[in-house]
Amino acid sequence: MKRQSLIYEILIFLLIFVFLIIPPFFNKPVGQLKELFSWTFPWKQAGLCIFALVLYFLSKNLNDKKGIFYPSLIALSLLFFTAIIIKLICHSATGENRLIMPQGGLEVLFCLITFALSAIYEEIIYRFYFTDALRRLIPIERKYIWIVYELAGLVVFAFAHFYLGWASVINATFAHVILRFLYKKTNLIWNCVIVHFIYNVISLILL
């Protein structure tokens, strides 16, 4: 990696780490709150999504593999399977938090926009960028060192959901593994975004 490119990548990584990766760790726990979201236009998610899209198109070599339907279908099935198992295990826990259903057409629209923007942002930052950028910036030549990089990406994504409780952390752990594997299998982040979005929408209704 050229010196100028390396400096550029370090600066971008540090900005993302300080302003995007770290802040979710300091979200206040929702505790006993019934409503996790009020369905208004998601300005914050829109800004994060725009940033993530710029990062993606500046970073990505758009040379994607084929054969994405079945891996995506399997990933979506695994997401629901793990979510149902985790919900059943944690069903007796007190203070379980649920998303409130949107009421009326406008709230439904804002809900879908929120889910779409969040899926784009999270997939680009956590599945596409963070782990691979960490590997580029700290290139340690050791056998199985890739596991350390992958675990780092898993930890930051999983514990970004800690404010929702341990069940959400566990669910996010499995979701990251499944979606990261899907991305590495297909080399296409957009099917991860679609799977993520569909999972969120159906989970709101069924889970």
Side-chain angles (χ1 to χ4, degrees):
M1 188 180 292
K2 295 180 180 179
R3 180 180 177 83
Q4 186 175 2
S5 299
L6 178 61
I7 293 173
Y8 171 77
E9 175 116 47
I10 290 172
L11 288 174
I12 294 296
F13 184 85
L14 288 176
L15 285 172
I16 290 172
F17 191 80
V18 171
F19 291 105
L20 301 180
I21 300 295
I22 293 296
F25 285 80
F26 295 94
N27 285 338
K28 293 181 180 179
V30 294
Q32 302 295 321
L33 292 179
K34 180 182 177 183
E35 300 181 14
L36 297 186
F37 294 104
S38 57
W39 298 113
T40 56
F41 188 83
W43 294 105
K44 178 182 177 182
Q45 286 88 345
L48 291 172
C49 183
I50 291 170
F51 174 82
L53 286 170
V54 171
L55 175 69
Y56 176 78
F57 286 111
L58 288 178
S59 305
K60 178 63 177 171
N61 177 15
L62 299 175
N63 181 22
D64 299 315
K65 299 177 182 178
K66 296 180 180 180
I68 64 172
F69 178 75
Y70 288 111
S72 301
L73 191 60
I74 292 170
L76 187 59
S77 301
L78 287 172
L79 284 173
F80 280 112
F81 177 76
T82 54
I84 290 170
I85 295 299
I86 292 168
K87 184 173 180 64
L88 289 174
I89 293 173
C90 300
H91 182 69
S92 59
T94 58
E96 182 182 1
N97 300 296
R98 296 179 60 86
L99 293 176
I100 188 169
M101 292 292 291
Q103 305 296 318
L106 190 59
E107 285 197 4
V108 170
L109 176 62
F110 288 158
C111 172
L112 294 176
I113 292 173
T114 299
F115 283 164
L117 295 176
S118 298
I120 293 170
Y121 159 71
E122 290 186 356
E123 292 307 311
I124 291 176
I125 295 298
Y126 292 105
R127 253 66 74 184
F128 165 74
Y129 179 77
F130 182 82
T131 302
D132 292 334
L134 196 63
R135 181 180 297 184
R136 290 192 298 271
L137 293 173
I138 312 175
I140 300 172
E141 297 296 332
R142 293 284 182 87
K143 192 175 183 180
Y144 303 120
I145 192 65
W146 62 271
I147 296 176
V148 176
Y149 298 121
E150 295 294 339
L151 282 175
L154 184 151
V155 167
V156 296
F157 179 72
F159 279 90
H161 296 78
F162 184 68
Y163 71 103
L164 295 172
W166 280 107
S168 292
V169 172
I170 296 169
N171 191 49
T173 299
F174 283 101
H176 177 83
V177 171
I178 293 166
L179 290 167
R180 176 69 177 166
F181 181 80
L182 178 61
Y183 169 65
K184 298 304 285 186
K185 178 73 174 177
T186 64
N187 198 33
L188 184 64
I189 201 65
W190 299 112
N191 61 320
C192 296
V193 170
I194 293 169
V195 168
H196 191 150
F197 172 75
I198 293 172
Y199 170 72
N200 282 347
V201 172
I202 299 178
S203 293
L204 177 65
I205 299 170
L206 299 180
L207 302 178

